[in-house]
Amino acid sequence: KHIFRNRIYANAESGLIDICGINYYPPETMEEIIRAIEIEKPYNHLILSEWLKTGRDGNGFYILGI
């Protein structure tokens, strides 16, 4: 929850991750998230950080809620 903060909701608001909605993370937030993942080392952190690193040149990423 604290790693994936500063996301943008579908209504352009921002805040903590919305587990029931669409969460967008623009490219400029990716370095902060990668650093947090490498410090915290959650389960499967290597897979997640490598995936994020490959998307640095893209248009950010989305996390879809349940």
Side-chain angles (χ1 to χ4, degrees):
K1 176 172 130 175
H2 61 279
I3 291 175
F4 291 99
R5 61 184 188 277
N6 299 328
R7 52 91 200 103
I8 300 172
Y9 293 133
N11 66 359
E13 298 287 326
S14 64
L16 295 176
I17 191 167
D18 180 4
I19 61 168
C20 295
I22 300 170
N23 302 277
Y24 171 66
Y25 297 85
E28 56 270 9
T29 63
M30 294 178 80
E31 290 302 320
E32 177 185 341
I33 293 170
I34 291 168
R35 279 193 307 276
I37 288 169
E38 291 175 350
I39 290 169
E40 296 288 326
K41 294 182 177 22
Y43 179 74
N44 283 338
H45 69 280
L46 294 175
I47 295 169
L48 183 56
S49 65
E50 287 303 314
W51 177 75
L52 289 170
K53 288 175 184 176
T54 62
R56 284 179 174 152
D57 297 328
N59 192 23
F61 67 98
Y62 289 89
I63 294 179
L64 304 177
I66 50 175

